[in-house]
Amino acid sequence: MKLGVHIGYWGLGLTSADQLAIVQEAERLGYDSVWTAEAYGSDAATILSWLAGQTTTIKLGSGIFQMPGRSAAMTAMTAATIDQLSDGRMLLGIGSSGPQVSEGWHGVRFGKQIQRTREYIEVLRMALARERLEYHGETIQLPLPDGPGKALKLTIAPVQERMPIYLAAIGPKNTALAGEVADGWMPTLLSPEHLPMLRKSLEEGASRAGRKLDGFDIAPTVNVNITETDVDGARDAMRPFMALYIGGMGSREKNFYNTLVQRYGFEDAAKKVQDLYLEGRKEEAAAALPAELIDLVSLVGPADRVRDRLRAYADAGVGTLGVSPMAWTREERIKQLRLVAELMEDVA
């Protein structure tokens, strides 16, 4: 199992110099990849391009490029450019985002997600292979049939012969699609004990495509806070993030993260957290998260326990574990990355 570092959204109290120092230290420690996110603040592409010129070996992952924010052709242009700037280190992670961001920020209807994602990846593959983009799907038409457009091909070539495409997915159908058409799957709030259950969706998709999952990269992001003393405080650092996803990421009728946690056996807690969060009682929602659930999907607590959890992820079949230190200074984040790297030496 390889390690990645997830630096999340830009800012959050850290300066550009802080973030660069964190990534460069991760590279020195042997981390395989760095991932950055976007929602409606900083964009991921600019950050990855900036890091490309100041690192040499660490792979550069978009975690994720939002599909409603870019056409498939624009995503291919961006990924190919970063691949050239980094001498072949680009990992192309994409995802649908959510209905609030898609429709409220990008002005793109959040519908037909399975078909839209399938066609988006097909066009990405064509563009990155420098084929002329003539594509007639349900959600993508290239060129448009009633205008002056012509079928074009990418004028630059990626360094990698086949750039890995990762799909962020949490629902069973989207997860199956990842197994069918992507090179990797990026889940959130992943419990290693429940990965065999979730892997069935990946295998279903792979079977549809007539392929095996050999070489397929399961690449979750996991929040980490290693401490020998204040375990409750470390858990508390996880609470706002988890409450946001379980309680507020989506509507009451459709929240895949809430459904996932219910599948883990926390039905009552999931419903309570969602009720409180949607009522605007966010701190109470965070406090309502059971410690057992936090421990299940996070790397939290004493080193010995975290070592066991790292081994659980590796044994479950995780290929790349993206760790996100829940610490708020450069020094504390680097300390957490070092601790994880040291513990991984015992797992490998």
Side-chain angles (χ1 to χ4, degrees):
M1 184 173 71
K2 297 174 289 189
L3 288 177
V5 54
H6 205 301
I7 59 174
Y9 304 112
W10 204 241
L12 302 180
L14 295 172
T15 66
S16 298
D18 290 334
Q19 292 280 44
L20 180 59
I22 290 165
V23 174
Q24 290 177 332
E25 178 62 11
E27 182 175 63
R28 191 192 69 78
L29 289 167
Y31 278 69
D32 182 72
S33 53
V34 55
W35 302 79
T36 189
E38 62 185 20
Y40 43 95
S42 58
D43 75 286
T46 303
I47 304 307
L48 294 179
S49 300
W50 180 71
L51 290 172
Q54 301 179 88
T55 55
T56 56
T57 59
I58 197 166
K59 294 176 184 142
L60 306 165
S62 52
I64 56 168
F65 285 160
Q66 298 174 97
M67 290 164 49
R70 298 176 182 83
S71 68
M74 185 69 231
T75 296
M77 291 167 60
T78 302
T81 304
I82 297 172
D83 205 49
Q84 282 206 358
L85 291 173
S86 65
D87 195 26
R89 290 185 279 143
M90 180 67 194
L91 303 175
L92 178 50
I94 63 169
S96 301
S97 188
Q100 292 89 345
V101 174
S102 181
E103 298 195 6
W105 185 248
H106 296 299
V108 175
R109 292 293 181 196
F110 194 80
K112 299 183 179 179
Q113 286 305 308
I114 300 298
Q115 185 66 17
R116 185 186 303 274
T117 303
R118 180 190 302 280
E119 294 182 4
Y120 197 99
I121 291 177
E122 288 175 355
V123 172
L124 271 180
R125 297 275 195 212
M126 292 174 64
L128 291 170
R130 303 191 65 230
E131 299 175 15
R132 291 198 180 276
L133 289 191
E134 185 167 348
Y135 186 90
H136 303 289
E138 184 179 343
T139 68
I140 300 177
Q141 288 282 333
L142 293 170
L144 291 176
D146 54 356
K150 60 184 294 186
L152 301 172
K153 69 177 182 180
L154 192 63
T155 60
I156 64 171
V159 175
Q160 299 176 82
E161 184 174 345
R162 179 183 170 90
M163 187 183 300
I165 296 177
Y166 289 72
L167 181 61
I170 200 70
K173 291 182 180 179
N174 241 349
T175 300
L177 184 63
E180 181 181 353
V181 301
D183 302 299
W185 171 50
M186 302 170 65
T188 301
L189 300 179
L190 179 67
S191 156
E193 285 76 13
H194 294 86
L195 184 51
M197 171 185 74
L198 302 174
R199 188 182 171 92
K200 291 178 181 178
S201 295
L202 292 174
E203 292 170 343
E204 174 191 329
S207 177
R208 283 202 302 259
R211 67 170 183 164
K212 302 291 186 182
L213 291 176
D214 299 339
F216 186 90
D217 192 13
I218 297 174
T221 297
V222 182
N223 293 335
V224 57
N225 192 317
I226 302 171
T227 176
E228 300 296 329
T229 54
D230 188 11
V231 178
D232 287 337
R235 289 192 184 109
D236 289 344
M238 312 293 177
R239 292 182 183 276
F241 169 86
M242 291 182 60
L244 168 64
Y245 275 74
I246 295 168
M249 196 65 75
S251 65
R252 190 180 300 277
E253 293 74 29
K254 184 173 286 189
N255 180 326
F256 289 122
Y257 303 98
N258 191 282
T259 301
L260 177 67
V261 169
Q262 292 190 45
R263 293 178 73 189
Y264 290 169
F266 294 89
E267 294 91 345
D268 293 342
K271 292 174 182 176
K272 182 177 181 180
V273 169
Q274 186 177 61
D275 286 343
L276 290 168
Y277 202 95
L278 295 180
E279 291 169 8
R281 298 156 66 184
K282 297 179 181 180
E283 291 185 3
E284 292 176 63
L289 290 163
E292 295 81 4
L293 174 58
I294 297 172
D295 291 351
L296 190 68
V297 299
S298 308
L299 297 173
V300 59
D304 286 346
R305 182 186 180 279
V306 171
R307 183 187 296 108
D308 290 343
R309 297 305 290 163
L310 286 168
R311 189 171 287 113
Y313 280 104
D315 291 346
V318 169
T320 300
L321 189 70
V323 298
S324 179
M326 300 303 283
W328 319 120
T329 67
R330 174 200 302 198
E331 293 74 20
E332 283 300 313
R333 284 202 167 200
I334 287 175
K335 177 183 176 182
Q336 291 291 321
L337 292 180
R338 287 173 178 163
L339 288 170
V340 172
E342 291 169 5
L343 294 174
M344 270 300 296
E345 292 178 2
D346 298 331
V347 174

